[in-house]
Amino acid sequence: MKTENLILSITENGYSLIYEGLPLCNDKQTLGEIDLVAKMYKCELPATAWNGERGEWVSTSTILTYSEAIA
């Protein structure tokens, strides 16, 4: 799976991992859960994530918790 086609999305419902426009899983509440999904598909989490609440791209490495991500 090509990481450049992978999007990590953050919304009020949690984290989701999207590949070429299709969600790979139901919304997850922690980055740890979403990281397990990425590993299941043999890929790494993207370096950036789409914060749907803010309408901006953020660095994945700066996301500490879901509540901080949408604040």
Side-chain angles (χ1 to χ4, degrees):
M1 185 172 290
K2 296 180 180 180
T3 303
E4 62 267 12
N5 297 337
L6 194 64
I7 296 173
L8 174 60
S9 177
I10 308 163
T11 67
E12 64 186 18
N13 298 322
Y15 300 99
S16 60
L17 205 52
I18 301 166
Y19 183 72
E20 295 185 349
L22 299 172
L24 298 179
C25 62
N26 294 329
D27 292 334
K28 304 296 182 191
Q29 295 303 306
T30 69
L31 274 178
E33 289 175 305
I34 212 74
D35 189 42
L36 289 174
V37 173
K39 285 182 172 56
M40 184 176 73
Y41 285 97
K42 298 181 176 157
C43 58
E44 299 286 324
L45 287 179
T48 57
W50 176 250
N51 185 322
E53 300 302 312
R54 292 184 181 172
E56 66 184 6
W57 292 97
V58 296
S59 173
T60 303
S61 65
T62 64
I63 301 170
L64 300 176
T65 66
Y66 170 70
S67 59
E68 291 173 343
I70 64 167

